Amino acid sequence: MKIGVFVCHCGSNIAGTVNVGSVAEEALKLPSVAFASDTMYACSEPGQDAIIEAIKEHRLDGVVVASCSPRMHEPTFRKTVERAGLNRYMFEMANIREHVSWIGKDKDANTRKAVDLVAMAVAKLTQDRELTPKTFDINKRVLVIGGGVAGIQAALDCADGGLEVVLVEKTSSIGGKMSKLDKTFPTVDCSSCILGPKMVDVAQHPNITLYASSEVADVKGYVGNFNVSINRKATYVDWAACTGCGLCMEKCPSKKSRDVFNEEIGTTTAINIPFPQAIPKKASIDPEFCLKLTKGKCGVCEKVCPTNAIRFEQKQETAEEAVGAIITATGYDLFDYTRYEEYGGGRYADVITSLQYERLLSASGPTGGHIKRPSDGKEPKDVVFIQCVGSRDKSVDRPYCSGFCCMYTAKQAILTKDHLPESQSYVFYMDIRAPGKLYDEFTRRAMEEYGTKYIRGRVAMVYPKGDKYIVRGADTLMGAQVEVEADLVVLAVGAEAAKGAPQLAEKLRISYDAYGFYMESHPKLRPVETNTAGVFLAGSCQGPKDIPTSVGQGSAAAAKVLALFSKDQLESDPQVSVVDIKRCVGCGKCIQTCPFGAIEEMDFRGMPKANVIETICQGCGICTSTCPQGAIQLQHFTDNQILAEVNAICQQTPAQNLK
Amino acid sequence: MSANTGSELKIVGFLCNWCSYGGADTAGVGRFQQPTDLRIIRVPCSGRIDPLFVLKSLFNGADGVLVSGCHPRDCHYAEGNFYARRRLEVLKRFLPILGIDERRFEYTWVSASEGQKWKTVVQTFTERIHELGPAPKLDQCLMERAQAMAMAV
């Protein structure tokens, strides 16, 4: 076998701390290496051309590129060797950037390590076999999880592209956080006026099936063929019959139910429709507060309902949907502001969150759009906004910036002045982060046109004094302590990963970071893809985002799905398990351990044998390490290949030549 | 690296592609400096790791073996790391029976976002192996045993 080794400088990324030339020289001494050279940028066009040229000139059978992580450029170079006429699996990568040059400064040690990694790749490559992918049919339906603005956008774009869409929303209406907002920055557009029509489009689109009050219970399968179980929670109302007239809400005697839509400012009726523009506009019953469900008597809604839609006996149901791709748009939740005890959130009635304040501003909110203090219903005169509550603070394990709080605080300050011209707003901030189109101009307007007083510094404490509150903090620009009398304190709470995000990630088999935000495939170049084929991300589930970015990501994820579904068949990865019939004893252990049901028993001349269904096999190799016979081998990661790598490190020591 | 001022030792790492290999990449991208003793072998899943790979490494002259996969419940293949955990735990207890110091073997869970954790894992494990020193070489032991037997005869 003739192998070519190409050692990449990656500019100075690798060559800065690895002697690239001597890595190539040492590689040439390895058995079966027929050609070795160093190259400035292996992934560049001249770099790739040089590889192709060398393959042709030296009649190479396989190629090793020592450069960055295979997670980055393995697909690139596979295409390169394919262009030169080789099978794309006759290729290995040695990761001498992320695993060598970037993590150590000792050039000699790095060079030795790089030489070893190249030797390992060569050892593995000598046992690589040509592999050919199979094709399989795909189900061109898409599941969108989460009905916020990102999910709505993704669902509409997919549906407009001709795909059947299943949209699953946890709460009883789509709309997400955006539907709770009164206005949006920096245009001060009415939020429900721009979101509402989109929500109606979802309801009316012939290609969209909407499951509200539902959650994804289980996901089986793989790209092109997922099977999803959806739990449809009991709403105690037959939604097919309910017309959303709201008569039940008027008559319901139990008025202490948690008003989640209004961020629990006040309470609502046990049977309710969360807000006038809700989609679907259907009533549901809160079983904790319904008198009929808790005490067995009442049933007023049943009597008044003109369509007899009330079903007290309703149980949770499970729906099954088959889809080919999944877009996750599960959004974010708010930081628990009561953790900052010094601000008194949760203890003082007039210390509220920014989203609660948004509901006070909203004409469809609990106060009808009049700003009233929750404690006594009076109009506030001095409103203090405290920024970065649960953002950029290591002490509460939220070191990241939530991104949009500076902007919505400026918006709320402007709206406060609009609603109450006599009022005065104060903003305690750390830095103003307004890096969007017309964003900085907007915060300037809040200060200059609307007279909002911005005080740079953290608040130390909030305490009541009479019917007012004293906000004490530092003004770091003045170098002085300041005290502001406030009628209302609004905490700009940061975003955190949605509750249950890790649990959903486990079902989808995608990764999440330390805070529960989902991991994209590449932070720069694959922002809406995950490392699980067929699963895409949109919106704040990947990290805090404002509305334009979320909408952009929703469209981006939809575009990815439409591109994926542009073919009728997908190619399966041929790095799958293969059974050696002669060695297989038919014990069936691999069938039991396979997480995908990709192995079946077959009859071979009267004897039971294992058989791998290639298009279902995902290439984990669990069967290979389970088989007592070594009869089932994961292609490209066979026992012999991994042991060859072990031997390259342990026995043969090319690095010692350098000493 | 302080642990490395002496001569390098041979440490073999088996990392799953989806989490820990990604975590090691993240550590690299973040330029988290690490000792250079470790050589990483990429496998699709920690469930692909046959305990024999670890033993082969240790028999053939590795001074330490480090295995890392996705956190339990986060496996890209749903349940591969559960199989890995059972196998590797049994292996760890079995090593002393083979005359191998079990401290030369460790398994851990590092996700693709945990670059900082990966650095700590590598640093701690490398320091531990350096404290243990080079592994006793099998052929040398055999030679001594053979000599002793020869003397007895």
Short mmCIF file of all heavy atoms in Angstrom, two decimals, chain A residues 581-631:
data_model
loop_
_atom_site.label_atom_id
_atom_site.label_comp_id
_atom_site.label_asym_id
_atom_site.label_seq_id
_atom_site.Cartn_x
_atom_site.Cartn_y
_atom_site.Cartn_z
N ILE A 581 -19.86 -14.00 8.56
CA ILE A 581 -20.76 -15.15 8.70
C ILE A 581 -20.04 -16.38 9.27
O ILE A 581 -20.56 -17.11 10.11
CB ILE A 581 -21.37 -15.49 7.31
CG1 ILE A 581 -22.41 -14.44 6.93
CG2 ILE A 581 -21.96 -16.87 7.26
CD1 ILE A 581 -23.72 -14.58 7.66
N LYS A 582 -18.80 -16.54 8.85
CA LYS A 582 -18.07 -17.75 9.27
C LYS A 582 -17.80 -17.73 10.78
O LYS A 582 -17.74 -18.76 11.43
CB LYS A 582 -16.73 -17.84 8.52
CG LYS A 582 -16.90 -18.07 7.03
CD LYS A 582 -15.61 -18.46 6.36
CE LYS A 582 -14.58 -17.35 6.30
NZ LYS A 582 -14.99 -16.18 5.49
N ARG A 583 -17.60 -16.52 11.32
CA ARG A 583 -17.28 -16.43 12.74
C ARG A 583 -18.51 -16.34 13.62
O ARG A 583 -18.45 -16.66 14.81
CB ARG A 583 -16.42 -15.20 12.98
CG ARG A 583 -14.97 -15.40 12.60
CD ARG A 583 -14.19 -14.21 13.08
NE ARG A 583 -12.81 -14.54 13.35
CZ ARG A 583 -11.97 -13.71 13.94
NH1 ARG A 583 -12.39 -12.53 14.33
NH2 ARG A 583 -10.72 -14.06 14.15
N CYS A 584 -19.60 -15.84 13.07
CA CYS A 584 -20.81 -15.60 13.88
C CYS A 584 -21.37 -16.93 14.37
O CYS A 584 -21.55 -17.86 13.59
CB CYS A 584 -21.87 -14.86 13.05
SG CYS A 584 -23.42 -14.62 13.93
N VAL A 585 -21.62 -16.99 15.71
CA VAL A 585 -22.18 -18.22 16.27
C VAL A 585 -23.68 -18.09 16.53
O VAL A 585 -24.30 -18.97 17.09
CB VAL A 585 -21.45 -18.63 17.57
CG1 VAL A 585 -20.02 -19.01 17.27
CG2 VAL A 585 -21.51 -17.50 18.60
N GLY A 586 -24.23 -16.97 16.16
CA GLY A 586 -25.68 -16.79 16.31
C GLY A 586 -26.13 -16.65 17.74
O GLY A 586 -27.26 -17.00 18.08
N CYS A 587 -25.29 -16.10 18.63
CA CYS A 587 -25.67 -15.97 20.04
C CYS A 587 -26.71 -14.87 20.24
O CYS A 587 -27.45 -14.88 21.20
CB CYS A 587 -24.44 -15.70 20.90
SG CYS A 587 -23.67 -14.10 20.62
N GLY A 588 -26.75 -13.89 19.33
CA GLY A 588 -27.77 -12.85 19.41
C GLY A 588 -27.47 -11.73 20.39
O GLY A 588 -28.32 -10.90 20.65
N LYS A 589 -26.24 -11.71 20.94
CA LYS A 589 -25.92 -10.64 21.92
C LYS A 589 -25.95 -9.27 21.24
O LYS A 589 -26.37 -8.27 21.83
CB LYS A 589 -24.54 -10.89 22.53
CG LYS A 589 -24.52 -12.03 23.53
CD LYS A 589 -23.32 -11.88 24.47
CE LYS A 589 -23.39 -12.87 25.61
NZ LYS A 589 -22.56 -14.04 25.40
N CYS A 590 -25.46 -9.22 20.00
CA CYS A 590 -25.44 -7.94 19.28
C CYS A 590 -26.85 -7.43 19.05
O CYS A 590 -27.10 -6.23 19.11
CB CYS A 590 -24.68 -8.07 17.97
SG CYS A 590 -25.25 -9.43 16.94
N ILE A 591 -27.77 -8.37 18.80
CA ILE A 591 -29.16 -7.97 18.55
C ILE A 591 -29.72 -7.29 19.80
O ILE A 591 -30.41 -6.28 19.72
CB ILE A 591 -30.01 -9.19 18.16
CG1 ILE A 591 -29.44 -9.83 16.88
CG2 ILE A 591 -31.47 -8.83 17.98
CD1 ILE A 591 -30.06 -11.14 16.49
N GLN A 592 -29.37 -7.86 20.98
CA GLN A 592 -29.86 -7.29 22.23
C GLN A 592 -29.26 -5.93 22.53
O GLN A 592 -29.93 -5.04 23.06
CB GLN A 592 -29.53 -8.22 23.40
CG GLN A 592 -30.43 -9.43 23.47
CD GLN A 592 -29.90 -10.47 24.44
OE1 GLN A 592 -29.01 -10.17 25.25
NE2 GLN A 592 -30.43 -11.66 24.37
N THR A 593 -27.98 -5.74 22.22
CA THR A 593 -27.34 -4.49 22.65
C THR A 593 -27.54 -3.36 21.64
O THR A 593 -27.40 -2.20 22.02
CB THR A 593 -25.82 -4.67 22.86
OG1 THR A 593 -25.28 -5.28 21.71
CG2 THR A 593 -25.52 -5.50 24.07
N CYS A 594 -27.86 -3.65 20.42
CA CYS A 594 -27.98 -2.57 19.42
C CYS A 594 -29.06 -1.58 19.84
O CYS A 594 -30.22 -1.96 20.02
CB CYS A 594 -28.31 -3.13 18.04
SG CYS A 594 -28.50 -1.80 16.82
N PRO A 595 -28.71 -0.29 20.01
CA PRO A 595 -29.72 0.68 20.44
C PRO A 595 -30.73 1.02 19.35
O PRO A 595 -31.71 1.69 19.61
CB PRO A 595 -28.91 1.93 20.79
CG PRO A 595 -27.47 1.58 20.65
CD PRO A 595 -27.38 0.33 19.84
N PHE A 596 -30.47 0.61 18.12
CA PHE A 596 -31.32 1.05 17.01
C PHE A 596 -32.13 -0.09 16.39
O PHE A 596 -32.84 0.13 15.42
CB PHE A 596 -30.46 1.72 15.94
CG PHE A 596 -29.66 2.85 16.49
CD1 PHE A 596 -28.33 2.68 16.83
CD2 PHE A 596 -30.25 4.08 16.70
CE1 PHE A 596 -27.60 3.73 17.36
CE2 PHE A 596 -29.53 5.13 17.22
CZ PHE A 596 -28.19 4.95 17.56
N GLY A 597 -31.98 -1.28 16.91
CA GLY A 597 -32.67 -2.41 16.30
C GLY A 597 -32.19 -2.65 14.88
O GLY A 597 -32.95 -3.05 14.00
N ALA A 598 -30.91 -2.38 14.65
CA ALA A 598 -30.37 -2.48 13.29
C ALA A 598 -29.88 -3.88 12.95
O ALA A 598 -29.49 -4.15 11.82
CB ALA A 598 -29.24 -1.47 13.11
N ILE A 599 -29.87 -4.77 13.96
CA ILE A 599 -29.38 -6.12 13.70
C ILE A 599 -30.54 -7.10 13.84
O ILE A 599 -31.32 -7.02 14.79
CB ILE A 599 -28.24 -6.50 14.69
CG1 ILE A 599 -27.19 -5.38 14.71
CG2 ILE A 599 -27.60 -7.83 14.31
CD1 ILE A 599 -26.09 -5.59 15.71
N GLU A 600 -30.66 -7.98 12.86
CA GLU A 600 -31.73 -8.98 12.91
C GLU A 600 -31.11 -10.37 12.80
O GLU A 600 -29.97 -10.53 12.36
CB GLU A 600 -32.72 -8.73 11.77
CG GLU A 600 -32.04 -8.75 10.41
CD GLU A 600 -32.95 -8.39 9.26
OE1 GLU A 600 -34.09 -7.96 9.51
OE2 GLU A 600 -32.52 -8.54 8.10
N GLU A 601 -31.90 -11.35 13.23
CA GLU A 601 -31.42 -12.72 13.09
C GLU A 601 -31.83 -13.22 11.72
O GLU A 601 -32.93 -12.96 11.25
CB GLU A 601 -32.06 -13.59 14.18
CG GLU A 601 -31.36 -14.93 14.33
CD GLU A 601 -32.04 -15.79 15.40
OE1 GLU A 601 -31.94 -15.43 16.58
OE2 GLU A 601 -32.67 -16.79 15.01
N MET A 602 -30.90 -13.89 11.07
CA MET A 602 -31.29 -14.47 9.78
C MET A 602 -30.87 -15.95 9.75
O MET A 602 -30.06 -16.39 10.56
CB MET A 602 -30.63 -13.70 8.64
CG MET A 602 -29.12 -13.82 8.60
SD MET A 602 -28.52 -13.44 6.96
CE MET A 602 -26.79 -13.80 7.13
N ASP A 603 -31.47 -16.64 8.85
CA ASP A 603 -31.17 -18.06 8.74
C ASP A 603 -30.14 -18.26 7.65
O ASP A 603 -30.29 -17.78 6.53
CB ASP A 603 -32.48 -18.80 8.40
CG ASP A 603 -32.23 -20.29 8.28
OD1 ASP A 603 -32.13 -20.93 9.34
OD2 ASP A 603 -32.12 -20.79 7.14
N PHE A 604 -29.06 -18.90 8.01
CA PHE A 604 -28.02 -19.17 7.02
C PHE A 604 -27.77 -20.67 7.00
O PHE A 604 -27.19 -21.23 7.93
CB PHE A 604 -26.75 -18.40 7.41
CG PHE A 604 -25.63 -18.57 6.42
CD1 PHE A 604 -25.62 -17.89 5.20
CD2 PHE A 604 -24.56 -19.42 6.72
CE1 PHE A 604 -24.59 -18.06 4.30
CE2 PHE A 604 -23.51 -19.57 5.81
CZ PHE A 604 -23.54 -18.91 4.61
N ARG A 605 -28.29 -21.31 5.99
CA ARG A 605 -28.18 -22.78 5.85
C ARG A 605 -28.57 -23.48 7.15
O ARG A 605 -27.81 -24.29 7.70
CB ARG A 605 -26.76 -23.17 5.46
CG ARG A 605 -26.39 -22.66 4.08
CD ARG A 605 -24.98 -23.04 3.74
NE ARG A 605 -24.54 -22.35 2.54
CZ ARG A 605 -23.26 -22.21 2.20
NH1 ARG A 605 -22.31 -22.70 2.97
NH2 ARG A 605 -22.94 -21.60 1.10
N GLY A 606 -29.71 -23.08 7.68
CA GLY A 606 -30.23 -23.74 8.87
C GLY A 606 -29.63 -23.27 10.18
O GLY A 606 -30.00 -23.74 11.24
N MET A 607 -28.68 -22.30 10.11
CA MET A 607 -28.08 -21.80 11.36
C MET A 607 -28.46 -20.34 11.57
O MET A 607 -28.53 -19.58 10.61
CB MET A 607 -26.55 -21.91 11.28
CG MET A 607 -26.04 -23.34 11.45
SD MET A 607 -24.27 -23.38 11.25
CE MET A 607 -24.07 -22.92 9.56
N PRO A 608 -28.71 -19.94 12.84
CA PRO A 608 -29.02 -18.53 13.07
C PRO A 608 -27.74 -17.68 12.97
O PRO A 608 -26.69 -18.07 13.49
CB PRO A 608 -29.56 -18.52 14.51
CG PRO A 608 -28.95 -19.70 15.16
CD PRO A 608 -28.70 -20.73 14.09
N LYS A 609 -27.84 -16.57 12.28
CA LYS A 609 -26.71 -15.65 12.15
C LYS A 609 -27.23 -14.23 12.32
O LYS A 609 -28.40 -13.96 12.08
CB LYS A 609 -26.06 -15.78 10.76
CG LYS A 609 -25.51 -17.15 10.43
CD LYS A 609 -24.16 -17.36 11.08
CE LYS A 609 -23.62 -18.75 10.72
NZ LYS A 609 -22.40 -19.08 11.45
N ALA A 610 -26.33 -13.34 12.68
CA ALA A 610 -26.71 -11.93 12.78
C ALA A 610 -26.60 -11.29 11.41
O ALA A 610 -25.74 -11.64 10.62
CB ALA A 610 -25.80 -11.20 13.77
N ASN A 611 -27.50 -10.34 11.17
CA ASN A 611 -27.46 -9.61 9.91
C ASN A 611 -27.71 -8.13 10.19
O ASN A 611 -28.66 -7.77 10.88
CB ASN A 611 -28.53 -10.16 8.96
CG ASN A 611 -28.50 -9.43 7.62
OD1 ASN A 611 -27.42 -9.21 7.07
ND2 ASN A 611 -29.66 -9.04 7.13
N VAL A 612 -26.83 -7.28 9.68
CA VAL A 612 -26.96 -5.84 9.94
C VAL A 612 -27.78 -5.20 8.82
O VAL A 612 -27.50 -5.40 7.64
CB VAL A 612 -25.57 -5.18 10.02
CG1 VAL A 612 -25.71 -3.67 10.21
CG2 VAL A 612 -24.75 -5.79 11.13
N ILE A 613 -28.79 -4.44 9.21
CA ILE A 613 -29.55 -3.65 8.23
C ILE A 613 -28.78 -2.34 8.06
O ILE A 613 -28.80 -1.47 8.93
CB ILE A 613 -30.98 -3.39 8.70
CG1 ILE A 613 -31.63 -4.71 9.14
CG2 ILE A 613 -31.80 -2.72 7.61
CD1 ILE A 613 -32.83 -4.55 10.02
N GLU A 614 -28.09 -2.24 6.93
CA GLU A 614 -27.11 -1.17 6.76
C GLU A 614 -27.66 0.24 6.92
O GLU A 614 -27.00 1.12 7.45
CB GLU A 614 -26.49 -1.29 5.36
CG GLU A 614 -25.06 -1.76 5.39
CD GLU A 614 -24.49 -1.81 4.00
OE1 GLU A 614 -24.28 -0.72 3.44
OE2 GLU A 614 -24.25 -2.91 3.49
N THR A 615 -28.87 0.45 6.40
CA THR A 615 -29.38 1.81 6.43
C THR A 615 -29.87 2.22 7.82
O THR A 615 -30.07 3.39 8.09
CB THR A 615 -30.54 1.97 5.43
OG1 THR A 615 -31.46 0.90 5.63
CG2 THR A 615 -30.04 1.94 4.00
N ILE A 616 -30.07 1.24 8.71
CA ILE A 616 -30.50 1.60 10.06
C ILE A 616 -29.29 1.75 10.97
O ILE A 616 -29.27 2.58 11.87
CB ILE A 616 -31.48 0.54 10.62
CG1 ILE A 616 -32.73 0.48 9.74
CG2 ILE A 616 -31.87 0.86 12.05
CD1 ILE A 616 -33.76 -0.53 10.18
N CYS A 617 -28.24 0.97 10.72
CA CYS A 617 -27.05 1.00 11.58
C CYS A 617 -26.48 2.42 11.61
O CYS A 617 -26.32 3.06 10.57
CB CYS A 617 -26.00 0.03 11.06
SG CYS A 617 -24.45 0.09 11.98
N GLN A 618 -26.22 2.92 12.82
CA GLN A 618 -25.70 4.28 12.97
C GLN A 618 -24.19 4.31 13.20
O GLN A 618 -23.60 5.37 13.35
CB GLN A 618 -26.40 4.98 14.14
CG GLN A 618 -27.90 5.14 13.93
CD GLN A 618 -28.20 6.05 12.76
OE1 GLN A 618 -27.89 7.22 12.76
NE2 GLN A 618 -28.79 5.48 11.70
N GLY A 619 -23.58 3.13 13.28
CA GLY A 619 -22.12 3.08 13.37
C GLY A 619 -21.55 3.38 14.74
O GLY A 619 -20.48 3.96 14.83
N CYS A 620 -22.26 2.98 15.81
CA CYS A 620 -21.72 3.23 17.15
C CYS A 620 -20.67 2.19 17.53
O CYS A 620 -19.75 2.47 18.28
CB CYS A 620 -22.82 3.27 18.20
SG CYS A 620 -23.75 1.74 18.37
N GLY A 621 -20.84 0.97 17.04
CA GLY A 621 -19.87 -0.08 17.33
C GLY A 621 -20.06 -0.77 18.66
O GLY A 621 -19.17 -1.48 19.12
N ILE A 622 -21.21 -0.57 19.29
CA ILE A 622 -21.45 -1.24 20.56
C ILE A 622 -21.47 -2.76 20.34
O ILE A 622 -20.94 -3.53 21.15
CB ILE A 622 -22.78 -0.75 21.19
CG1 ILE A 622 -22.66 0.73 21.54
CG2 ILE A 622 -23.15 -1.56 22.42
CD1 ILE A 622 -23.96 1.38 21.93
N CYS A 623 -22.04 -3.17 19.20
CA CYS A 623 -22.09 -4.60 18.90
C CYS A 623 -20.69 -5.20 18.79
O CYS A 623 -20.44 -6.32 19.23
CB CYS A 623 -22.86 -4.83 17.61
SG CYS A 623 -22.26 -3.87 16.22
N THR A 624 -19.77 -4.42 18.22
CA THR A 624 -18.42 -4.93 17.98
C THR A 624 -17.72 -5.27 19.30
O THR A 624 -17.06 -6.29 19.42
CB THR A 624 -17.60 -3.91 17.19
OG1 THR A 624 -18.35 -3.50 16.08
CG2 THR A 624 -16.29 -4.48 16.74
N SER A 625 -17.92 -4.41 20.30
CA SER A 625 -17.27 -4.73 21.57
C SER A 625 -18.11 -5.69 22.40
O SER A 625 -17.66 -6.15 23.44
CB SER A 625 -16.92 -3.47 22.35
OG SER A 625 -17.86 -2.46 22.16
N THR A 626 -19.32 -6.01 21.94
CA THR A 626 -20.14 -7.00 22.64
C THR A 626 -19.88 -8.41 22.12
O THR A 626 -19.90 -9.38 22.88
CB THR A 626 -21.64 -6.68 22.45
OG1 THR A 626 -21.87 -5.33 22.84
CG2 THR A 626 -22.51 -7.60 23.28
N CYS A 627 -19.60 -8.53 20.83
CA CYS A 627 -19.50 -9.84 20.21
C CYS A 627 -18.36 -10.66 20.81
O CYS A 627 -17.21 -10.23 20.82
CB CYS A 627 -19.25 -9.68 18.71
SG CYS A 627 -19.09 -11.25 17.86
N PRO A 628 -18.69 -11.85 21.35
CA PRO A 628 -17.63 -12.67 21.95
C PRO A 628 -16.70 -13.28 20.91
O PRO A 628 -15.63 -13.78 21.25
CB PRO A 628 -18.42 -13.74 22.71
CG PRO A 628 -19.75 -13.80 22.05
CD PRO A 628 -20.01 -12.45 21.46
N GLN A 629 -17.12 -13.24 19.67
CA GLN A 629 -16.35 -13.88 18.60
C GLN A 629 -15.54 -12.91 17.77
O GLN A 629 -14.78 -13.33 16.91
CB GLN A 629 -17.33 -14.63 17.67
CG GLN A 629 -17.95 -15.85 18.28
CD GLN A 629 -16.94 -16.98 18.42
OE1 GLN A 629 -16.22 -17.30 17.49
NE2 GLN A 629 -16.87 -17.56 19.60
N GLY A 630 -15.75 -11.64 17.97
CA GLY A 630 -15.14 -10.66 17.07
C GLY A 630 -15.67 -10.81 15.66
O GLY A 630 -14.99 -10.47 14.69
N ALA A 631 -16.91 -11.32 15.56
CA ALA A 631 -17.45 -11.61 14.23
C ALA A 631 -18.10 -10.40 13.59
O ALA A 631 -18.19 -10.32 12.38
CB ALA A 631 -18.48 -12.73 14.33
#
